[in-house]
C-alpha cells in the first residue's frame, strides 16, 4: 500500500532526516543502495522520495510533497512518466534483462536503462526504483553498471536490496548505501492496526512480535490458509522423537500446493522455514525469560504449544539449522533435498 506522505509513513526516521538534509543542502548522490529486511517499507520510502522530488506543488527542499498536484496524483497511480519502477516478476526467480535493457531486436532500445536516458517529460528529472536488486544476474548487472557509471544528469536511482553481500562489488562501490532496520514492535503494531489486520492493540502487538519487524511476515502470520498448516507444523516440531519423514512430507506437500512453478514454491518454502525459525526462537525467549509476564507467556504457549521440551543448546542448534536452510534456499539448492536434510537434522538435534 502506498503511503501518501511522510506524515503517514511509519518508522525509518533517521533515514528520513538524512535525506531531508541531503536534499536541503543540495548534496544528494545519484545512486542509492537501500538495504534492509523484506517488508519494512524500503520501496515505499523510495517512492515517497520520488514524490518529494517530482512534486510540482512544493519545493523538494521542504521535504513534504503537496499531494494535490498532477505529479503527486500520477505517482500515487503509478503513472508518472518520469518514475521508472521495476521488480522481479512473480513467476521469475530474478529480474530479467528485458526489464533493464530490452530483449532481442529491442535490446538497448527499451527497458529501464534506456528510458532513464530519455529527456524527463516533466522537465525535472528521471527517477528509477529497482526492487529485488538482489536478483539481478551478472549479465544484467553489467548492463546496469554502464548506467551507474554515467548516470544521466539529474537522475536518481534507487536499488532495493535485502543484503549487501548479494550485490556485486562493482555495483556496490558505485552506490551510496542506506541501511534500514526492522520496524520496532510498536511501529509494526500500528501498521497492523492501520491495515485492519488486528482489532485491538494487544492482538496487534502479539502479531507484531511474531513477525519480527516485517509487514511481509505479518501477512504470512495472519493468512488463514497458512494458519492451519503452521499449527500442524508446530505440532510435528514438538513431537519426541521427531518423525522427520512425516515432517518432510508435510512441508513438501504444502510447498507443492502453490503450483508447479519453481519460484512460488521457493517463496512458500521460505515462509515455512521462517515459521520453524520463529518456533525455535520463541522457545529460546521463553527459556531466557524474555517472555516474563504471565499473559505473554500463555500467549506464546497457545501459539507454539509447550516449548520447554528442548534444552537451550538444542534450541540454538535448531535455530541455526533453520537459518542455514534458508540461506541454502537462496543459493538455489534443490528444495526437495533441502527439506529432507533439514528435517533429518532437526530430528537429530531434538534427540540431543
Ligand atoms: Zn505535489
Amino acid at each position: 500500500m502506498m503511503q501518501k506522505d511522510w506524515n503517514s509513513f511509519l518508522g525509518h526516521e533517521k533515514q528520513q532526516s538524512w535525506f531531508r538534509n541531503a536534499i536541503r543542502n543540495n548534496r544528494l548522490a545519484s545512486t542509492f543502495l537501500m538495504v534492509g529486511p523484506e517488508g519494512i517499507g524500503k520501496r515505499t520510502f523510495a517512492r515517497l522520495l520520488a514524490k518529494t522530488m517530482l512534486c510540482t506543488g512544493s519545493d523538494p527542499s521542504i521535504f513534504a510533497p503537496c499531494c494535490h498536484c498532477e505529479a503527486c496524483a500520477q505517482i500515487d497511480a503509478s503513472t508518472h512518466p518520469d518514475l521508472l519502477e521495476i521488480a522481479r516478476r512473480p513467476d521469475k526467480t530474478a529480474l530479467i534483462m528485458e526489464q533493464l535493457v530490452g530483449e532481442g531486436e529491442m535490446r538497448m532500445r527499451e527497458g529501464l536503462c534506456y528510458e532513464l536516458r530519455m529527456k524527463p517529460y516533466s522537465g525535472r528529472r528521471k527517477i528509477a526504483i529497482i526492487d529485488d536488486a538482489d536478483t539481478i544476474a551478472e549479465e544484467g548487472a553489467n548492463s546496469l553498471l554502464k548506467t551507474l557509471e554515467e548516470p544521466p544528469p539529474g537522475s536518481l536511482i534507487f536499488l532495493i536490496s535485502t543484503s549487501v553481500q548479494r550485490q556485486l562489488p562493482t555495483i556496490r562501490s558505485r552506490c551510496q548505501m542506506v541501511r534500514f532496520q526492522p520496524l520496532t514492535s510498536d511501529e509494526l503494531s500500528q501498521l497492523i492496526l492501520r491495515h485492519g489486520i488486528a482489532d485491538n492493540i494487544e492482538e496487534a502487538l502479539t502479531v507484531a512480535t511474531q513477525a519480527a519487524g516485517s509487514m511481509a511476515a505479518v501477512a504470512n502470520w495472519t493468512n488463514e490458509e497458512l494458519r492451519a498448516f503452521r499449527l500442524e507444523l508446530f505440532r510435528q516440531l514438538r513431537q519426541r522423537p521427531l518423525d522427520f519423514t512425516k515432517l518432510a512430507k508435510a512441508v513438501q506437500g504444502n510447498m507443492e500446493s502453490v503450483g508447479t512453478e519453481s519460484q512460488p514454491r521457493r517463496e512458500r518454502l521460505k515462509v515455512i522455514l521462517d515459521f520453524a525459525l520463529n518456533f525455535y526462537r520463541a522457545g529460546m525467549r521463553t527459556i531466557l525469560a524474555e517472555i516474563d509476564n504471565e499473559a505473554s507467556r500463555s500467549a506464546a504457549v497457545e501459539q507454539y504449544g509447550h516449548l520447554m521440551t528442548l534444552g537451550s543448546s538444542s534450541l540454538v542448534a535448531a535455530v541455526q539449522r533453520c537459518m542455514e536452510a534458508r540461506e541454502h534456499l537462496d543459493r538455489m539448492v534443490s528444495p526437495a533435498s533441502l527439506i529432507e536434510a533439514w528435517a533429518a537434522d532437526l530430528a537429530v538435534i531434538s534427540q540431543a
Side-chain angles (χ1 to χ4, degrees):
M1 190 185 83
M2 179 75 188
Q3 307 289 335
K4 297 264 177 216
D5 60 21
W6 293 110
N7 290 332
S8 57
F9 182 81
L10 271 173
H12 312 304
E13 270 142 31
K14 260 192 214 155
Q15 291 80 351
Q16 286 184 45
S17 66
W18 189 88
F19 273 101
R20 193 186 301 125
N21 286 331
I23 294 170
R24 211 168 269 167
N25 301 324
N26 223 348
R27 49 172 182 76
L28 198 61
S30 144
T31 307
F32 296 90
L33 181 61
M34 301 179 139
V35 184
E38 253 171 83
I40 59 167
K42 301 186 298 297
R43 183 171 180 171
T44 307
F45 190 99
R47 297 194 79 190
L48 272 177
L49 279 175
K51 202 175 187 182
T52 306
M53 300 305 288
L54 293 172
C55 169
T56 54
S58 95
D59 193 80
S61 65
I62 297 166
F63 206 71
C66 76
C67 294
H68 300 298
C69 70
E70 199 190 346
C72 282
Q74 284 177 324
I75 287 171
D76 287 344
S78 297
T79 55
H80 196 294
D82 291 332
L83 176 58
L84 315 167
E85 288 187 84
I86 56 170
R88 178 180 61 76
R89 293 178 185 157
D91 60 332
K92 298 279 189 249
T93 50
L95 280 170
I96 51 175
M97 285 297 280
E98 188 191 328
Q99 294 174 285
L100 287 164
V101 291
E103 235 173 13
E105 281 184 5
M106 295 311 284
R107 178 60 69 92
M108 301 305 181
R109 281 193 284 170
E110 60 178 25
L112 182 128
C113 294
Y114 171 81
E115 285 176 45
L116 202 58
R117 299 206 169 276
M118 298 288 102
K119 244 169 92 183
Y121 289 85
S122 63
R124 293 189 148 204
R125 57 172 82 228
K126 288 270 188 196
I127 299 179
I129 299 176
I130 303 176
D131 204 354
D132 305 305
D134 295 341
T135 68
I136 301 177
E138 200 165 342
E139 196 192 10
N142 288 333
S143 303
L144 181 62
L145 205 54
K146 293 195 189 93
T147 306
L148 300 185
E149 277 166 351
E150 287 174 59
S155 63
L156 276 177
I157 305 168
F158 299 104
L159 287 117
I160 297 179
S161 155
T162 56
S163 148
V164 184
Q165 281 75 35
R166 291 210 212 134
Q167 300 300 321
L168 294 176
T170 43
I171 294 229
R172 211 157 60 200
S173 66
R174 280 173 179 82
C175 297
Q176 165 106 46
M177 180 138 52
V178 186
R179 285 186 188 276
F180 287 77
Q181 313 303 327
L183 297 168
T184 65
S185 290
D186 275 344
E187 288 162 351
L188 195 57
S189 45
Q190 282 184 52
L191 269 180
I192 289 168
L193 284 176
R194 202 181 278 180
H195 284 254
I197 292 167
D199 298 329
N200 57 61
I201 187 71
E202 286 78 23
E203 197 187 327
L205 266 169
T206 308
V207 178
T209 311
Q210 315 295 349
S214 155
M215 268 313 266
V218 167
N220 296 329
W221 276 87
T222 51
N223 176 319
E224 273 305 315
E225 182 207 330
L226 278 169
R227 190 172 172 274
F229 172 76
R230 188 172 65 235
L231 293 177
E232 169 60 18
L233 175 73
F234 291 172
R235 203 185 58 73
Q236 289 204 26
L237 291 179
R238 279 197 303 272
Q239 299 286 314
R240 301 286 167 271
L242 192 153
D243 184 342
F244 66 88
T245 323
K246 204 171 156 198
L247 175 64
K249 215 175 143 197
V251 171
Q252 180 106 18
N254 188 277
M255 179 186 77
E256 287 172 357
S257 73
V258 300
T260 52
E261 299 271 347
S262 79
Q263 187 56 24
R265 283 186 173 189
R266 276 176 198 281
E267 301 285 332
R268 172 55 65 90
L269 185 51
K270 209 186 264 183
V271 170
I272 297 173
L273 290 172
D274 277 348
F275 284 158
L277 192 55
N278 265 8
F279 173 85
Y280 291 118
R281 276 191 180 144
M284 281 170 70
R285 284 204 304 271
T286 317
I287 285 186
L288 296 172
E290 263 182 44
I291 301 179
D292 46 6
N293 72 65
E294 199 45 50
S296 353
R297 187 182 285 268
S298 61
V301 169
E302 196 184 316
Q303 274 282 353
Y304 301 101
H306 291 276
L307 290 153
M308 306 298 270
T309 53
L310 278 187
S312 58
S313 59
S314 301
L315 282 169
V316 171
V319 164
Q320 279 171 345
R321 189 60 187 85
C322 291
M323 289 172 71
E324 194 184 292
R326 225 178 163 287
E327 261 170 50
H328 285 171
L329 187 62
D330 286 335
R331 290 197 211 123
M332 301 289 150
V333 174
S334 136
S337 47
L338 184 145
I339 293 169
E340 274 171 33
W342 168 77
D345 284 350
L346 284 186
V348 173
I349 290 168
S350 72
Q351 269 168 349

